[in-house]
Amino acid sequence: MRKINKILVANRGEISLRVMRTAREMGIKTVAVYSEADRNALHVRYADEAVCLGPAPSAQSYLLGDKIIEVCKELNVDAIHPGYGFLSENAQFAKKVTDAGLIFIGPSPEAIEVMGSKLAAKQAVSKYDIPMVPGTEEAIDDIPEAKKTAAEIGYPILIKASAGGGGKGMRVVENEEEFEEQMQRAISEAVSAFGDGAVFIEKFITSPRHIEIQVLGDQLGNVVHLFERECSVQRRHQKVIEEAPSAVITEEKRQAMGEAAIGVAKACNYYGAGTVEFIVDENLNFYFLEMNTRLQVEHPVTELITGIDLVKEQIHIAEGQPISFQQDELKINGHSVEVRVYAEDPKNNFLPDIGKLITYKRPQGPGIRVDDGFEQGMDIPIYYDPMIAKLVTHGETREKAIERMVRAIDEYQITGIETTLPFCKFVLQHQAFASGDFDTKFVEKHFSPEILDEEFTSEEQKILAAAGVFLLEQQKPKHQIAESGTGSVTSNWKNRLKHG
């Protein structure tokens, strides 16, 4: 067992702040790393120490694993928390961290490697009685043979990149005539995105729901699950709204999925926080999809219904301590909903939007949590994921959590850029979402950009009101701004920046 006294968070934005806040509560010092584009970022100011890694592009900064390890040695860091994205699921980086004598706050490099390949993951869990989508067990590149396999499985089928994620290298094939073209496209996308053209074929589940199970494992062999999250509302195969628990999963099904998720974790001797993802059909049959070997973006909804600080558990597990609770001690408390606030224009096919946050006012009140990494006046950089914040609500029931979210969205004032907030409000107020009768095709079935135009007048009034608030603040004397806590003129954070 090794005590962690200082953590470097190898990430940026809201997840860096999220990890650092828990570390501070635990009396652990923190080190931020940043690119030149993030010099004035909130996570840089919050950390005890901060180090510039390089220019804005992530390949020249946040992905420089060797440089991050060097910084750890220079500053006597004990452990690295990778957050999510960037190097979080890079088995080679995790191995370099441990080889350098540092603690990687995550699973073993071997577990990351196995679960990083969809084919290897399927093979690893095959010894456990876990439902799998019918399909090939190995990569396939022979088109005539692949066509034969597809016919045996039955159309529609799904061609997927083994190393894929985020919808890349994924093609739905409705019939044999379009098979060859779609397979070539899938291979091309896989090579371009992941440097690995391996693809496999599986049955395409119509009307699928995307439901995942949060798991925690320790280095003593204990594994628990923390119930499910519903993640079916997506655009471009990427999640936008998540909730816990699911509106349709029964207690019996929840237990079965939880046990299956624990089996997946045990198949690769998993420790740390991880998520087992399942595809669920219209009859609530579930099939193993993949395992994400890191903390998920949507982890707050699980924290709010369980009362468990997942980052704190991650740190204790990395130190060699056992999980702090037993499975039978966990209970679902109420309901939680999360919307991802992206700098994207829903009226323009969700294309990213960049610019300055002219107005940025967070919603407040009971049951509202905002995880973000921005403040008013900051620019949204073009180099990284366009997520501004995660807005999370909690209520005694699903209906109350949704009502609270609608109120929070109405209070969230953001001008200067387009965001996904209007789209999220539309989803929450749609009958299909309210009833729980929806799947991953929600956007395709129910949304069109023109729908948001119907609420333009009220949105325009909100923007004008927010602009008025901003102008009033600009007219305040500078000492008033400082006294109200919205300025940073008294901050000495720059004195703690090192190496640039």
Side-chain angles (χ1 to χ4, degrees), residues 117-152:
S117 164
K118 291 180 175 62
L119 284 172
K122 289 174 74 172
Q123 291 168 0
V125 305
S126 61
K127 66 182 74 171
Y128 293 82
D129 189 21
I130 297 168
M132 309 281 280
V133 178
T136 58
E137 296 182 1
E138 297 179 351
I140 189 165
D141 56 11
D142 184 291
I143 291 180
E145 186 64 29
K147 274 187 180 180
K148 181 180 176 182
T149 301
E152 292 172 355

Side-chain angles (χ1 to χ4, degrees), residues 241-245 301 304-305 333-339 366-369 391-409 424 428-429 433:
I241 298 178
E242 299 102 346
E243 59 179 316
V301 293
L304 290 180
I305 67 164
N333 173 31
H335 199 94
S336 183
V337 179
E338 173 180 304
V339 304
I368 292 177
R369 168 175 168 176
L391 175 59
V392 196
T393 59
H394 181 261
E396 295 174 6
T397 64
R398 184 173 188 261
E399 291 72 22
K400 289 183 179 179
I402 292 172
E403 289 171 1
R404 184 161 282 163
M405 179 61 78
V406 171
R407 189 262 293 177
I409 289 174
C424 292
L428 294 164
Q429 295 182 319
F433 186 84

Side-chain angles (χ1 to χ4, degrees), residues 8 248 310 312 380 434:
L8 181 146
V248 298
L310 290 172
K312 186 174 183 179
I380 303 297

Side-chain angles (χ1 to χ4, degrees), residues 124-412:
V125 305
S126 61
K127 66 182 74 171
Y128 293 82
D129 189 21
I130 297 168
M132 309 281 280
V133 178
T136 58
E137 296 182 1
E138 297 179 351
I140 189 165
D141 56 11
D142 184 291
I143 291 180
E145 186 64 29
K147 274 187 180 180
K148 181 180 176 182
T149 301
E152 292 172 355
I153 295 171
Y155 289 95
I157 59 98
L158 190 62
I159 302 174
K160 299 173 70 173
S162 177
K168 294 172 183 172
M170 183 185 297
R171 292 281 167 171
V172 177
V173 185
E174 299 287 349
N175 52 62
E176 185 174 343
E177 287 70 30
E178 63 182 51
F179 182 88
E180 186 169 343
E181 179 185 0
Q182 296 291 12
M183 183 164 177
Q184 289 174 343
R185 286 185 176 182
I187 292 172
S188 177
E189 284 182 10
V191 171
S192 176
F194 313 110
D196 181 354
V199 299
F200 63 100
I201 298 170
E202 64 183 26
K203 178 70 177 174
F204 180 67
I205 305 297
T206 56
S207 301
R209 299 181 79 109
H210 185 143
I211 296 179
E212 60 191 29
I213 304 289
Q214 175 73 60
V215 295
L216 277 176
D218 60 31
Q219 298 183 59
L220 305 175
N222 304 304
V223 184
V224 297
H225 74 83
L226 290 86
F227 314 117
E228 82 278 3
R229 295 187 289 254
E230 171 78 67
C231 307
S232 297
V233 180
Q234 306 177 2
R235 52 92 180 93
R236 297 195 299 271
H237 300 287
Q238 294 179 320
K239 305 163 191 171
V240 186
I241 298 178
E242 299 102 346
E243 59 179 316
S246 168
V248 298
I249 295 299
T250 63
E251 186 56 43
E252 181 182 5
K253 191 67 66 173
R254 177 174 296 121
Q255 183 174 344
M257 293 181 74
E259 290 175 356
I262 288 174
V264 171
K266 288 184 175 180
C268 63
N269 299 314
Y270 196 87
Y271 56 81
T275 298
V276 181
E277 303 196 353
F278 295 97
I279 286 292
V280 180
D281 68 18
E282 54 212 10
N283 298 315
L284 297 187
N285 299 308
F286 64 91
Y287 305 94
F288 172 67
L289 181 63
E290 63 181 341
M291 184 176 192
N292 290 310
T293 55
R294 53 172 167 76
L295 197 65
Q296 292 279 88
V297 175
E298 58 272 22
H299 76 273
V301 293
T302 296
E303 293 186 324
L304 290 180
I305 67 164
T306 61
I308 301 296
D309 183 333
L310 290 172
V311 173
K312 186 174 183 179
E313 291 296 324
Q314 280 187 299
I315 294 171
H316 282 321
I317 289 168
E319 289 179 324
Q321 298 186 45
I323 300 168
S324 67
F325 54 89
Q326 303 288 326
Q327 185 72 61
D328 58 10
E329 295 178 70
L330 288 174
K331 289 188 173 45
I332 296 176
N333 173 31
H335 199 94
S336 183
V337 179
E338 173 180 304
V339 304
R340 301 191 189 188
V341 186
Y342 284 105
E344 294 179 348
D345 186 358
K347 296 181 184 179
N348 191 18
N349 197 31
F350 294 94
L351 289 177
D353 192 26
I354 60 171
K356 185 182 290 294
L357 291 170
I358 295 174
T359 308
Y360 187 73
K361 299 288 184 183
R362 303 170 185 85
Q364 299 181 29
I368 292 177
R369 168 175 168 176
V370 181
D371 285 17
D372 64 7
F374 292 94
E375 63 184 3
Q376 191 164 286
M378 292 180 67
D379 291 317
I380 303 297
I382 195 173
Y383 307 98
Y384 315 114
D385 184 273
M387 190 170 70
I388 300 170
K390 300 182 306 197
L391 175 59
V392 196
T393 59
H394 181 261
E396 295 174 6
T397 64
R398 184 173 188 261
E399 291 72 22
K400 289 183 179 179
I402 292 172
E403 289 171 1
R404 184 161 282 163
M405 179 61 78
V406 171
R407 189 262 293 177
I409 289 174
D410 285 340
E411 291 184 6
Y412 214 146

